[in-house]
Amino acid sequence: MNDQPVIHLEGLQRRYVMGGSHIDALRRVDLDVCRNEYLAIMGQSGSGKSTLMNILGCLDRPTDGEYWLNGSPVSRMDDNQLANIRNREIGFVFQTFNLLPRMSALANVEVPLIYSGKRRKERVELATAALDTVGLADRMGHRPSEMSGGQRQRVAVARALVTNPSILLADEPTGNLDSNTGNEIMGLFDALHRNGNTLIVVTHEQHIADRASRIVRLSDGDVISDSERDT
C-alpha cells in the first residue's frame, strides 16, 4: 500500500446542539486510511459510525478537527467544493440501493457522469464497463423493478465505481439482502479490493466486518479499538 493516506482525520469532532444541551457524536477522532485498504467501521446504534460515514462521504461537516481526502482539505471546503469532491472522489453504496425506479440500469449508472459533465458517448462507454465489472452486462436495459435485490445492489456498486473514485464507501450494504445474496455482494467487494479499490464498509455485523483487513470500533463517539486482521 501507498504510505500516503488517502484519508487523514485529526481531532475530528461533531457536536449537535439542541436547545441548551449538546451531543458529541464524535469526540476527537484520529484515523488514517491508506490507498487500497479494506476497512470496516463497527459500532452499535448511537456509537457515531453513521456520523463518521456522513463526514467521510462529505455529506456532513465536522464541528472541529481536520479531514484530508486524497490531499484535499475537505474540512475547510464550502458546499460547492464538497459537492465536487463527492462526485469526483467518493463512490457510495447504500443499504436501500437509492436507484431511480424509472431509469434503466445503464441510465442509473450514468447519473454521476452527468453531474461531472461527461458527454453521452463517454457516459455510455464508462457505464457499460462498470456494469460489466459487476457482472450485469446482460441487464443494462432493465429497470430496478425488473431486478432482484442482489442485482439492484450490483447496479448501485457499478454506479459507485463509474467515476473511478478514491474511496468506495458502503453503508450496511447487505442490510436489505438475504444471507446468500449478501455473501455474493461481499464477494464482489472482496474482488474490488483485490483489483486495487479502497473500501470502507460501515456495519454492525461481525461477519461482514470480518471480510475487511482492518476493523475500527466506535463507542459513544470514540474509537475504542483499531486492529489489523490477517487475511
Side-chain angles (χ1 to χ4, degrees):
M1 289 186 294
N2 192 324
D3 290 336
Q4 181 68 33
V6 65
I7 287 175
H8 174 69
L9 307 181
E10 186 174 336
L12 201 75
Q13 182 180 13
R14 184 63 172 100
R15 171 173 288 185
Y16 296 100
V17 178
M18 294 181 291
S21 62
H22 67 267
I23 297 175
D24 287 320
L26 293 175
R27 310 168 186 263
R28 304 292 177 188
V29 171
D30 297 326
L31 183 69
D32 283 345
V33 180
C34 294
R35 197 170 307 281
N36 194 28
E37 192 161 15
Y38 191 169
L39 172 68
I41 298 175
M42 293 198 73
Q44 298 301 315
S45 178
S47 65
K49 68 181 189 300
S50 294
T51 300
L52 181 56
M53 183 207 70
N54 287 337
I55 291 176
L56 291 176
C58 299
L59 298 170
D60 194 10
R61 298 172 178 273
T63 306
D64 197 8
E66 295 284 337
Y67 172 21
W68 291 76
L69 174 61
N70 209 23
S72 298
V74 173
S75 48
R76 306 174 194 174
M77 291 182 177
D78 61 28
D79 288 344
N80 289 333
Q81 291 171 315
L82 285 176
N84 185 47
I85 285 285
R86 276 197 305 273
N87 186 259
R88 189 178 74 245
E89 301 280 5
I90 301 165
F92 292 98
V93 180
F94 298 100
Q95 177 178 345
T96 52
F97 316 136
N98 286 11
L99 300 178
L100 298 171
R102 297 185 179 182
M103 296 172 64
S104 68
L106 183 67
N108 266 284
V109 176
E110 283 185 64
V111 168
L113 300 172
I114 294 172
Y115 288 117
S116 64
K118 300 289 187 185
R119 294 183 180 275
R120 169 68 177 167
K121 181 180 179 181
E122 187 177 5
R123 293 202 308 267
V124 170
E125 290 174 352
L126 291 170
T128 299
L131 284 166
D132 185 52
T133 296
V134 300
L136 286 181
D138 60 341
R139 293 290 187 269
M140 290 189 292
H142 289 62
R143 294 182 180 182
S145 62
E146 300 169 321
M147 296 181 175
S148 67
Q151 289 172 336
R152 279 178 278 175
Q153 191 62 298
R154 285 177 181 268
V155 174
V157 173
R159 181 185 57 192
L161 291 171
V162 75
T163 58
N164 192 28
S166 294
I167 58 171
L168 186 63
L169 187 60
D171 181 23
E172 303 284 1
T174 64
N176 279 346
L177 304 174
D178 63 66
S179 59
N180 288 336
T181 306
N183 284 333
E184 290 178 6
I185 293 299
M186 295 312 299
L188 174 60
F189 283 173
D190 294 344
L192 293 173
H193 176 244
R194 288 194 299 270
N195 288 336
N197 289 275
T198 306
L199 303 181
I200 300 176
V201 176
V202 178
T203 184
H204 68 279
E205 298 183 89
Q206 186 65 52
H207 73 279
I208 298 296
D210 284 342
R211 309 291 289 254
S213 56
R214 178 182 170 199
I215 300 176
V216 170
R217 298 179 189 273
L218 297 178
S219 180
D220 295 328
D222 291 313
V223 174
I224 58 171
S225 70
D226 184 348
S227 58
E228 300 277 351
R229 296 185 61 253
D230 293 328
T231 56

